[in-house]
Amino acid sequence: MRNTAKITTAVLAAGALTLGLSACGSDKDSSSDTSGPLVVAASPTPHAEILDYVKDNLAKDAGLDLEVKEFTDYVTPNTATEDGSVGANYFQTQPYLDDFNKKNGTHIVSVVDVHLEPLGLYSHKVKKADDLKSGATVAVPNDTVNEGRALQLLAANGIIGLKDGVGTAATPADITKNPKNLEFKELEAAQTPRSLDDVDAAVVNGNYAIEADLKPAQDALVLESAQGNPNSNLLAVKEGHEDDPRVKKLAKLLNSPEVKKFIEDKYAGAVLPSF
């Protein structure tokens, strides 16, 4: 049985953030007392599901008291980790983390890579990417790294061309070739699967694809390759908390053979172990 505290948050504009924001409505620093439970902020799928597996099957034997809090956006888990409302988070990639720290003055650091969620292009209107019509509208995530990652996916599959060297900082302004004259609709990442009835196609993050009952290995028109992919999802903490014994225990469990098997069995290629 799941014993997860669910928190639904409004989407916050990163430029308007203040580090005094308490994501959980409390000023208590849950990361300061290493004798208490380790509170981890996570996206519902697959992150919280993986953490719940650890909590229900592995944590007790390892002497770890684990509490999972679910968040539905890509901003609040980091602000909550920064202000101590939670002791760690598990939802993001290293490029996203680096960009977030740079823009918001936060001090979040990676502890261990856990899994990869391949980014995919989906559609309710066409069966192949080649079938997209001229002037078709494609939804992409609007945060810097995921938008750039989405455009890189389209470029890697010959759908568009991008300026050399833009990497995950790419925006539609960096498109150099657009043979289908595609129009891009920039949406908060969680909204991209919900837009599929309104746009011709959408690039969707793996966790949101799973939540929307999309099967990346089967349903994606094009899908990110796992080989050489830098976008593994990771466990992160505020700088200075890397040696917290609770964090070390969780990191070891998240890279255990049991978790690897759980990921492989449950997600059937939609989520891939990174260890």
Side-chain angles (χ1 to χ4, degrees):
M1 179 181 294
R2 294 183 61 175
N3 184 21
T4 302
K6 294 188 177 181
I7 294 181
T8 302
T9 58
V11 177
L12 302 176
L17 290 176
T18 61
L19 298 183
L21 174 66
S22 173
C24 302
S26 169
D27 293 330
K28 183 179 180 181
D29 187 339
S30 69
S31 66
S32 61
D33 180 8
T34 61
S35 65
L38 177 63
V39 183
V40 184
S43 297
T45 305
H47 309 79
E49 293 174 348
I50 295 170
L51 289 170
D52 281 337
Y53 171 80
V54 170
K55 179 178 180 177
D56 294 342
N57 296 277
L58 306 174
K60 184 176 180 180
D61 287 346
L64 174 64
D65 186 0
L66 180 62
E67 182 180 339
V68 184
K69 290 192 174 182
E70 294 185 7
F71 292 81
T72 58
D73 70 285
Y74 283 172
V75 173
T76 321
N78 274 337
T79 60
T81 304
E82 179 74 14
D83 70 22
S85 300
V86 300
N89 68 54
Y90 173 34
F91 79 101
Q92 65 191 320
T93 66
Q94 188 68 55
Y96 180 85
L97 173 57
D98 291 342
D99 181 71
F100 191 95
N101 280 333
K102 181 179 179 180
K103 288 182 175 178
N104 296 287
T106 45
H107 308 85
I108 315 299
V109 295
S110 170
V111 176
V112 68
D113 289 343
V114 183
H115 75 267
L116 173 71
E117 302 163 16
L119 202 73
L121 177 69
Y122 300 86
S123 177
H124 286 172
K125 299 179 181 177
V126 299
K127 299 295 185 182
K128 297 184 298 182
D130 288 345
D131 294 337
L132 287 169
K133 296 180 180 179
S134 179
T137 300
V138 178
V140 295
N142 65 1
D143 62 273
T144 301
V145 169
N146 282 306
E147 181 172 54
R149 190 177 164 192
L151 295 175
Q152 292 289 350
L153 172 67
L154 300 180
N157 287 274
I159 298 169
I160 60 171
L162 288 171
K163 293 177 183 176
D164 291 338
V166 290
T168 54
T171 72
D174 296 309
I175 295 173
T176 57
K177 297 179 182 178
N178 189 0
K180 289 183 177 289
N181 296 309
L182 300 177
E183 297 183 8
F184 292 93
K185 187 173 184 178
E186 297 167 299
L187 300 174
E188 199 273 329
Q191 301 297 321
T192 54
R194 302 170 196 168
S195 74
L196 283 169
D197 289 331
D198 302 316
V199 299
D200 296 289
V203 180
V204 182
N205 290 74
N207 60 315
Y208 292 131
I210 297 166
E211 288 177 17
D213 294 324
L214 296 167
K215 297 178 175 59
Q218 300 174 25
D219 298 334
L221 307 184
V222 296
L223 191 65
E224 265 186 328
S225 171
Q227 186 173 3
N229 197 310
N231 294 295
S232 289
N233 284 236
L234 52 88
L235 178 69
V237 297
K238 186 174 182 179
E239 187 175 6
H241 293 272
E242 303 94 314
D243 292 329
D244 182 328
R246 303 169 303 169
V247 171
K248 287 187 171 183
K249 287 177 182 178
L250 180 56
K252 184 176 180 179
L253 293 176
L254 285 172
N255 275 190
S256 67
E258 293 88 347
V259 167
K260 182 175 184 179
K261 186 176 187 303
F262 173 78
I263 291 173
E264 291 172 341
D265 290 348
K266 182 172 179 64
Y267 300 109
V271 179
L272 304 171
S274 297
F275 55 94

CSV table of all heavy atoms in Angstrom, one decimal, residues 53 257-273:
chain,number,residue,atom,x,y,z
A,53,TYR,N,8.7,1.8,-4.1
A,53,TYR,CA,9.2,0.5,-4.1
A,53,TYR,C,10.3,0.3,-3.1
A,53,TYR,O,10.4,-0.7,-2.3
A,53,TYR,CB,9.7,0.1,-5.5
A,53,TYR,CG,10.4,-1.2,-5.5
A,53,TYR,CD1,9.7,-2.5,-5.5
A,53,TYR,CD2,11.8,-1.3,-5.4
A,53,TYR,CE1,10.4,-3.7,-5.5
A,53,TYR,CE2,12.5,-2.5,-5.4
A,53,TYR,CZ,11.7,-3.7,-5.4
A,53,TYR,OH,12.4,-4.9,-5.4
A,257,PRO,N,20.5,-3.9,-7.5
A,257,PRO,CA,19.9,-4.9,-8.4
A,257,PRO,C,18.4,-5.0,-8.3
A,257,PRO,O,17.7,-5.2,-9.3
A,257,PRO,CB,20.6,-6.2,-8.1
A,257,PRO,CG,21.8,-5.8,-7.4
A,257,PRO,CD,21.5,-4.6,-6.6
A,258,GLU,N,17.8,-4.9,-7.1
A,258,GLU,CA,16.4,-5.0,-6.9
A,258,GLU,C,15.7,-3.8,-7.6
A,258,GLU,O,14.6,-4.0,-8.3
A,258,GLU,CB,16.1,-4.9,-5.4
A,258,GLU,CG,16.5,-6.1,-4.7
A,258,GLU,CD,18.0,-6.0,-4.1
A,258,GLU,OE1,18.7,-5.1,-4.5
A,258,GLU,OE2,18.3,-6.8,-3.3
A,259,VAL,N,16.2,-2.6,-7.5
A,259,VAL,CA,15.6,-1.5,-8.2
A,259,VAL,C,15.7,-1.6,-9.7
A,259,VAL,O,14.8,-1.3,-10.5
A,259,VAL,CB,16.2,-0.1,-7.7
A,259,VAL,CG1,15.8,1.0,-8.6
A,259,VAL,CG2,15.7,0.1,-6.3
A,260,LYS,N,16.9,-2.0,-10.2
A,260,LYS,CA,17.1,-2.2,-11.6
A,260,LYS,C,16.0,-3.2,-12.2
A,260,LYS,O,15.4,-2.9,-13.2
A,260,LYS,CB,18.5,-2.8,-11.9
A,260,LYS,CG,18.8,-3.0,-13.4
A,260,LYS,CD,20.2,-3.4,-13.6
A,260,LYS,CE,20.5,-3.5,-15.1
A,260,LYS,NZ,21.9,-3.9,-15.3
A,261,LYS,N,15.8,-4.3,-11.5
A,261,LYS,CA,14.8,-5.3,-11.9
A,261,LYS,C,13.4,-4.7,-11.9
A,261,LYS,O,12.6,-4.9,-12.8
A,261,LYS,CB,14.9,-6.5,-11.1
A,261,LYS,CG,14.0,-7.7,-11.6
A,261,LYS,CD,14.1,-8.9,-10.7
A,261,LYS,CE,13.3,-10.1,-11.3
A,261,LYS,NZ,11.9,-9.8,-11.5
A,262,PHE,N,13.1,-3.9,-10.8
A,262,PHE,CA,11.8,-3.3,-10.7
A,262,PHE,C,11.5,-2.4,-11.9
A,262,PHE,O,10.5,-2.4,-12.5
A,262,PHE,CB,11.7,-2.5,-9.4
A,262,PHE,CG,10.5,-1.7,-9.3
A,262,PHE,CD1,9.3,-2.2,-8.9
A,262,PHE,CD2,10.5,-0.3,-9.5
A,262,PHE,CE1,8.1,-1.5,-8.8
A,262,PHE,CE2,9.4,0.5,-9.4
A,262,PHE,CZ,8.1,-0.1,-9.1
A,263,ILE,N,12.5,-1.5,-12.2
A,263,ILE,CA,12.4,-0.6,-13.4
A,263,ILE,C,12.2,-1.4,-14.7
A,263,ILE,O,11.3,-1.1,-15.5
A,263,ILE,CB,13.6,0.3,-13.5
A,263,ILE,CG1,13.7,1.3,-12.3
A,263,ILE,CG2,13.6,1.1,-14.8
A,263,ILE,CD1,14.9,2.1,-12.2
A,264,GLU,N,13.0,-2.4,-14.9
A,264,GLU,CA,12.9,-3.1,-16.2
A,264,GLU,C,11.6,-3.9,-16.3
A,264,GLU,O,10.9,-3.9,-17.3
A,264,GLU,CB,14.0,-4.1,-16.2
A,264,GLU,CG,15.4,-3.4,-16.4
A,264,GLU,CD,16.6,-4.4,-16.3
A,264,GLU,OE1,16.4,-5.5,-15.8
A,264,GLU,OE2,17.7,-4.0,-16.8
A,265,ASP,N,11.1,-4.5,-15.2
A,265,ASP,CA,9.8,-5.2,-15.2
A,265,ASP,C,8.6,-4.3,-15.3
A,265,ASP,O,7.7,-4.6,-16.0
A,265,ASP,CB,9.7,-6.1,-13.9
A,265,ASP,CG,10.7,-7.2,-13.9
A,265,ASP,OD1,11.4,-7.5,-14.9
A,265,ASP,OD2,10.9,-7.8,-12.8
A,266,LYS,N,8.6,-3.2,-14.6
A,266,LYS,CA,7.4,-2.4,-14.5
A,266,LYS,C,7.2,-1.5,-15.7
A,266,LYS,O,6.1,-1.3,-16.2
A,266,LYS,CB,7.4,-1.5,-13.3
A,266,LYS,CG,6.2,-0.6,-13.1
A,266,LYS,CD,6.2,0.1,-11.8
A,266,LYS,CE,4.9,1.0,-11.7
A,266,LYS,NZ,3.7,0.2,-11.7
A,267,TYR,N,8.3,-1.0,-16.3
A,267,TYR,CA,8.2,0.0,-17.3
A,267,TYR,C,8.5,-0.5,-18.7
A,267,TYR,O,8.2,0.3,-19.7
A,267,TYR,CB,9.1,1.2,-17.0
A,267,TYR,CG,8.7,1.8,-15.6
A,267,TYR,CD1,9.5,1.7,-14.5
A,267,TYR,CD2,7.5,2.5,-15.5
A,267,TYR,CE1,9.1,2.3,-13.3
A,267,TYR,CE2,7.1,3.1,-14.3
A,267,TYR,CZ,7.9,2.9,-13.2
A,267,TYR,OH,7.5,3.4,-12.0
A,268,ALA,N,9.0,-1.7,-18.9
A,268,ALA,CA,9.1,-2.3,-20.2
A,268,ALA,C,9.7,-1.4,-21.3
A,268,ALA,O,9.2,-1.3,-22.4
A,268,ALA,CB,7.7,-2.8,-20.7
A,269,GLY,N,10.8,-0.7,-20.9
A,269,GLY,CA,11.5,0.1,-21.9
A,269,GLY,C,11.1,1.5,-21.9
A,269,GLY,O,11.8,2.4,-22.5
A,270,ALA,N,10.0,1.9,-21.2
A,270,ALA,CA,9.6,3.3,-21.1
A,270,ALA,C,10.5,4.1,-20.2
A,270,ALA,O,10.7,5.3,-20.2
A,270,ALA,CB,8.2,3.4,-20.7
A,271,VAL,N,11.1,3.3,-19.2
A,271,VAL,CA,12.1,3.9,-18.3
A,271,VAL,C,13.3,2.9,-18.3
A,271,VAL,O,13.1,1.7,-18.2
A,271,VAL,CB,11.5,4.0,-16.9
A,271,VAL,CG1,12.6,4.5,-15.9
A,271,VAL,CG2,10.3,4.9,-16.9
A,272,LEU,N,14.5,3.4,-18.4
A,272,LEU,CA,15.7,2.5,-18.5
A,272,LEU,C,16.6,2.8,-17.3
A,272,LEU,O,16.9,4.0,-17.0
A,272,LEU,CB,16.4,2.8,-19.8
A,272,LEU,CG,15.6,2.7,-21.1
A,272,LEU,CD1,16.4,3.2,-22.2
A,272,LEU,CD2,15.2,1.2,-21.3
A,273,PRO,N,17.1,1.8,-16.6
A,273,PRO,CA,18.1,2.0,-15.5
A,273,PRO,C,19.4,2.6,-16.1
A,273,PRO,O,19.8,2.3,-17.2
A,273,PRO,CB,18.4,0.6,-15.0
A,273,PRO,CG,17.3,-0.3,-15.5
A,273,PRO,CD,16.8,0.3,-16.8
